[in-house]
Amino acid sequence: PLGVPNVGETYSITAVAGGQIILECPEDAVPPSHIEWHREGSPLQEDARRHVLSGGRFLQIQAVVAADGGEYSCRAINELGDTRLRVQVEVHG
């Protein structure tokens, strides 16, 4: 899986059309966090190609197409606060 370090910044990744992306929301909070994924600021809707795995820690996108490009973000929330991560995805091919 593609790991994205350092929470709180925006990262860029490049994907190849037809391939797969796995984004990770770094989450090792105690107590465990509730994790939300967003695309372009709206809650991400899972479908046949987009799956949220491991309680929200990973977002998998299969059979990537150009329309999958854009900003993805995750937010891990617990009673101590929240952590956010943004990833800009660019699709080639």
Side-chain angles (χ1 to χ4, degrees):
L2 174 67
V4 183
N6 299 329
V7 174
E9 299 179 38
T10 301
Y11 293 88
S12 296
I13 66 164
T14 301
V16 176
Q20 171 179 273
I21 304 170
I22 297 178
L23 302 177
E24 180 179 359
C25 191
E27 190 281 313
D28 53 6
V30 177
S33 301
H34 166 75
I35 300 175
E36 301 172 349
W37 282 94
H38 293 79
R39 180 173 183 273
E40 299 294 342
S42 298
L44 182 84
Q45 301 297 316
E46 290 186 79
D47 57 28
R49 297 183 309 105
R50 295 187 289 194
H51 305 280
V52 175
L53 309 172
S54 299
R57 180 141 189 200
F58 297 98
L59 172 62
Q60 177 186 53
I61 305 172
Q62 300 173 317
V64 174
V65 296
D68 290 321
E71 184 182 271
Y72 291 81
S73 60
C74 71
R75 183 179 178 201
I77 308 155
N78 70 11
E79 55 261 35
L80 302 177
D82 68 342
T83 301
R84 298 169 189 257
L85 175 76
R86 291 186 302 275
V87 181
Q88 187 70 35
V89 175
E90 187 175 325
V91 179
H92 288 271

